[in-house]
């Protein structure tokens, strides 16, 4: 019979120095966390992709590359979409494929002009499903004012895909005088989020897992180009914009703090979290700060222009819920901290991977 408990010969446990170590991630194989937009994703880029590709364009960690070509400043971005399920409350993989890339360009201040689109189809997927996704993608492109100019289709064997995967790349022009990058953040900048956070991730999870929270939660998936143009009309001197998709608001703020060498202080109670999202996260043990969004942005704005920018955002349909949530500070560079409602502070760490994989 095996042992059922300690014996008198066992050494006493060291309760003072006792810890419960988190399992170390496997650095020798790809795991789901490598696609989550957190620490593991950054390691993949820094240790494999950037050294392999090289070039100065990869040295700036932004949603889109800002490039000089023929005297024009272009924003260029690409993204792939592997969301499951393909259709969800508030959108579909087709909507995501347009809005995600349009938003990446918008975070550089550019209005998207052209997209490419690659369909990777699994053998056996219904043609009606492909048509629904294509129609949703086309409608989203028209709404965003962008043209799908080129594309490609590939088919993989049954069992080697998940119905449909999409890739979109986009280009757009960056207006004169606009320079959006985390290195421009300075202490005193005001941090503004354009609306409630955590909605998209919870919407995906609810339909994927068949969960009900008393009210249907719809994805916030939307193209943010018009909202960004409204903000830039107030002042082209915005310092940085970021759409907090994978890894949520926490990952975006952490990346900006690290790249800028400043600290960020949040007022935790100021972060807008809808009650259904808060309830769902409480039930499931999730933190809304780390849950993905697909129609929100976070902005670092010079203090003297913050009130005017906030007013302009609130006058736009996609920024009606905009609110100030914190500021950049000189203290604790590279770190994000949140001041809690009880008067304490907590560190908002970069996520290791993703709480909810396959959400975009």
């Amino acid at each position: 019979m095996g042992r059922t408990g300690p014996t008198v010969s066992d050494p006493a446990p060291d309760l003072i120095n006792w810890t419960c170590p988190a399992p170390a991630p496997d650095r020798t194989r790809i795991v789901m966390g490598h696609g989550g937009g957190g620490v593991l994703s950054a390691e993949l880029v820094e240790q494999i992709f950037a050294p392999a590709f090289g070039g100065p364009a990869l040295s700036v960690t932004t949603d889109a590359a800002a490039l000089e070509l023929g005297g024009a400043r272009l924003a260029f971005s690409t993204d792939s979409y592997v969301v499951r399920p393909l259709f969800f409350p508030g959108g579909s993989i087709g909507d995501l494929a347009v809005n995600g890339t349009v938003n990446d360009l918008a975070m550089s201040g550019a209005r998207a002009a052209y997209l490419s689109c690659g369909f990777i189809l699994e053998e056996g997927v219904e043609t009606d499903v492909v048509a629904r996704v294509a129609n949703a993608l086309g409608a989203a492109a028209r709404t965003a004012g962008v043209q799908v100019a080129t594309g490609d289709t590939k088919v993989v064997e049954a069992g080697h895909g998940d119905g449909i995967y999409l890739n979109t790349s986009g280009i757009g022009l960056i207006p004169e005088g606009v320079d959006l990058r985390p290195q421009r953040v300075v202490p005193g900048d005001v941090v503004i989020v354009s609306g409630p956070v955590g909605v998209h991730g919870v919407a995906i999870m609810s339909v994927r897992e068949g969960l009900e929270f008393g009210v249907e939660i719809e994805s916030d998936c939307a193209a943010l180009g018009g909202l960004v143009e409204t903000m830039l009309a107030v002042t082209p001197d915005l310092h940085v914009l970021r759409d907090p998709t994978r890894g949520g608001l926490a990952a975006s703020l952490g990346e900006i703090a690290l790249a800028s060498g400043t600290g960020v202080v949040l007022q935790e109670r100021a972060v807008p979290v809808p009650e259904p999202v808060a309830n769902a996260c409480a039930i499931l043990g999730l933190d809304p700060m780390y849950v993905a969004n697909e129609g929100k942005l976070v902005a670092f704005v010079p203090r003297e222009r913050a009130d005017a920018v906030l007013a302009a955002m609130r006058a736009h349909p996609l920024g009606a819920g905009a609110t100030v949530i914190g500021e950049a500070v000189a203290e604790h560079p590279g770190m994000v901290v949140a001041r809690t409602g009880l008067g304490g502070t907590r560190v908002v760490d970069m996520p290791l991977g993703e709480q909810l994989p396959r959400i975009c």
Side-chain angles (χ1 to χ4, degrees):
M1 181 179 292
R3 295 175 60 189
T4 58
T7 69
V8 294
S9 62
D10 290 327
D14 182 1
L15 297 180
I16 294 178
N17 295 312
W18 183 84
T19 60
C20 181
D26 186 353
R27 262 36 177 210
T28 63
R29 297 178 184 273
I30 296 299
V31 297
M32 289 301 294
H34 281 107
V39 172
L40 292 180
S41 292
E43 286 184 359
L44 201 62
V45 172
E46 293 167 5
Q47 297 175 11
I48 296 181
F49 297 139
F53 303 155
L58 288 175
S59 63
V60 180
T61 54
T62 53
D63 290 321
L67 308 171
E68 298 281 347
L69 184 64
R73 291 182 68 220
L74 295 177
F76 179 41
S77 185
T78 188
D79 210 339
S80 299
Y81 301 88
V82 296
V83 65
R84 179 171 57 85
L86 298 175
F87 303 93
F88 47 84
S92 71
I93 191 173
D95 300 283
L96 283 176
V98 171
N99 295 338
T101 297
V102 165
N103 291 347
D104 284 346
L105 296 173
M107 298 307 106
S108 293
R111 164 69 79 164
Y114 297 102
L115 295 180
S116 70
C117 180
F119 274 74
I120 301 172
L121 308 176
E122 182 183 13
E123 181 185 21
V125 66
E126 296 89 344
T127 54
D128 286 350
V129 172
V130 178
R132 285 181 63 194
V133 170
N135 287 333
L137 192 152
R142 289 187 289 273
T143 298
V146 63
Q147 182 177 339
V148 179
T150 187
D152 182 51
T153 303
K154 293 291 187 296
V155 178
V156 298
E157 297 89 344
H160 291 263
D162 200 7
I164 299 174
Y165 297 151
L166 294 177
N167 172 273
T168 50
S169 298
I171 57 172
L173 287 172
I174 301 175
E176 186 75 24
V178 173
D179 183 16
L180 297 171
R181 49 192 173 89
Q183 290 77 11
R184 296 196 62 222
V185 172
V186 296
D189 280 358
V190 174
V191 181
I192 302 174
V193 67
S194 64
V197 301
V199 179
H200 174 74
V202 172
I204 294 292
M205 179 185 57
S206 65
V207 293
R208 180 188 297 172
E209 307 300 336
L211 302 175
E212 296 184 4
F213 302 110
V215 60
E216 185 177 67
I217 301 174
E218 291 194 358
S219 170
D220 58 352
C221 183
L224 298 172
L227 175 60
V228 172
E229 287 186 351
T230 296
M231 297 166 67
L232 291 173
V234 174
T235 175
D237 191 33
L238 303 177
H239 285 170
V240 68
L241 301 177
R242 190 64 59 91
D243 58 335
T245 53
R246 296 178 305 166
L249 186 61
S252 292
L253 294 176
E255 290 170 357
I256 292 169
L258 285 170
S260 65
T262 64
V264 176
V265 175
L266 300 179
Q267 301 299 327
E268 192 168 55
R269 286 188 171 179
V271 178
V273 180
E275 185 176 356
V277 171
N279 292 340
C281 288
I283 291 170
L284 298 166
L286 303 176
D287 186 337
M289 289 280 289
Y290 294 89
V291 177
N293 313 272
E294 284 293 346
K296 300 295 185 298
L297 64 80
V298 60
F300 282 65
V301 181
R303 182 169 296 277
E304 64 273 13
R305 303 299 292 165
D307 288 343
V309 170
L310 181 63
M313 293 174 71
R314 288 176 172 173
H316 190 281
L318 295 178
T323 187
V324 173
I325 60 171
E327 63 178 335
V329 297
E331 295 79 23
H332 50 79
M335 183 180 296
V336 181
V337 301
R339 291 179 178 159
T340 69
L342 299 176
T345 60
R346 68 179 180 96
V347 175
V348 181
D349 288 321
M350 283 282 289
L352 185 65
E354 175 61 74
Q355 294 184 111
L356 304 170
R358 304 284 301 280
I359 46 82
C360 63

